Amino acid sequence: MSILKQIRYNIPNAITCINLIAGTVAIILASKGDEPICGLVAYQWAFIFIGIAAVADFLDGFMARLLKAYSEVGKELDSLCDLVSFGVAPAVILYNAVVACGGAEWVAWCSLLIPAAGAMRLAKFNVDTRQESNFIGLPIPANAIFWIGFVAFYYEIGGILNWLTLTAIIVMSWLMLSSIRIYSLKFKNYSFKENSHRYILVIAAIVFVAIGGLMGMAITILYYVLSAVAMRFRAGLK
């Protein structure tokens, strides 16, 4: 393999590593809680770096398709990085939020269910050939987006009832491992008829965030799941 071809094949992997680095930085920042850093507090910077990881996660697949640089190594690397950025990082952020706001320590430790469920979700995805155009179970990046919204609201009100937090942990972990079919957000074309549910989700996300701030991200993920269930239910009635 020529040097140029090696470079081409490794461009998506390099972008995937940016995902990993951003997720690791998010974990480090999460440990600093609400310490002020450059005009924001540490956990808000952690949110931003998870966002950077999500952008990198999108771009690595885009570049792999554009350059036709698919590889089994790239697929496995993507899953390993996703586990850190969208499984471990949200769990650490939640753990520190519960501790900082005076929540029960046993609830904080329950956040370990999130990366455990995320790891199982990714392992199943890698061996399941049915998930090429749609997902079975909640994709792990959507899990991270939910926890950004949840933790932002948690800090805003100075803590949430322990049982509500535990319920959220259990439900989100179960959704990742469930057999619920959830539509992918990848556009094969820009036809409104074929992608109406995706366009509506984007509009809903903008509205939810505009009204509720970062908490709107958690509401968006709940809407995403409910809309997917509704689509399957309607399809079953036809």
Side-chain angles (χ1 to χ4, degrees):
M1 183 182 294
S2 67
I3 294 177
L4 288 177
K5 194 170 184 180
Q6 286 180 342
I7 293 173
R8 177 167 65 87
Y9 265 84
N10 281 289
I11 287 175
N13 292 343
I15 297 173
T16 303
C17 288
I18 293 174
N19 169 359
L20 173 65
I21 293 169
T24 305
V25 172
I27 292 170
I28 294 170
L29 290 167
S31 66
K32 298 181 181 295
D34 56 0
E35 178 182 324
I37 300 176
C38 299
L40 296 174
V41 294
Y43 71 83
Q44 292 173 329
W45 281 111
F47 295 162
I48 291 171
F49 274 91
I50 287 180
I52 293 172
V55 172
D57 185 50
F58 168 79
L59 289 177
D60 63 4
F62 175 79
M63 290 302 295
R65 291 188 293 272
L66 181 66
L67 299 173
K68 296 182 179 178
Y70 303 103
S71 70
E72 287 301 314
V73 170
K75 180 180 178 181
E76 298 301 327
L77 178 64
D78 184 68
S79 291
L80 292 170
C81 296
D82 283 358
L83 178 59
V84 173
S85 299
F86 310 129
V88 177
V92 174
I93 290 172
L94 178 62
Y95 176 90
N96 283 282
V98 173
V99 171
C101 294
E105 190 169 346
W106 63 268
V107 174
W109 283 106
C110 285
S111 64
L112 294 177
L113 288 173
I114 298 169
M120 287 294 296
R121 167 75 182 84
L122 291 165
K124 288 171 62 178
F125 177 80
N126 282 355
V127 299
D128 193 341
T129 57
R130 298 172 297 168
Q131 299 189 56
E132 293 183 359
S133 58
N134 291 289
F135 300 115
I136 298 177
L138 184 71
I140 194 170
N143 165 75
I145 292 171
F146 172 86
W147 288 113
I148 288 175
F150 187 92
V151 171
F153 183 61
Y154 195 104
Y155 273 110
E156 184 177 334
I157 69 171
I160 298 178
L161 293 175
N162 291 321
W163 288 105
L164 178 59
T165 306
L166 177 63
T167 299
I169 292 171
I170 293 172
V171 169
M172 295 306 295
S173 298
W174 173 78
L175 282 172
M176 284 191 283
L177 298 176
S178 72
S179 57
I180 297 174
R181 290 187 175 271
I182 299 179
Y183 55 88
S184 167
L185 297 181
K186 294 178 181 177
F187 288 76
K188 293 183 178 180
N189 58 61
Y190 297 103
S191 165
F192 182 81
K193 183 177 181 181
E194 295 182 23
N195 298 287
S196 59
H197 51 295
R198 296 183 177 90
Y199 285 118
I200 292 171
L201 177 62
V202 171
I203 294 170
I206 294 171
V207 172
F208 291 148
V209 173
I211 295 173
L214 287 177
M215 184 184 68
M217 299 176 74
I219 298 173
T220 297
I221 298 306
L222 295 178
Y223 171 80
Y224 177 38
V225 174
L226 291 174
S227 65
V229 172
M231 284 180 61
R232 299 295 299 180
F233 179 74
R234 287 196 299 269
L237 293 178
K238 294 180 180 179

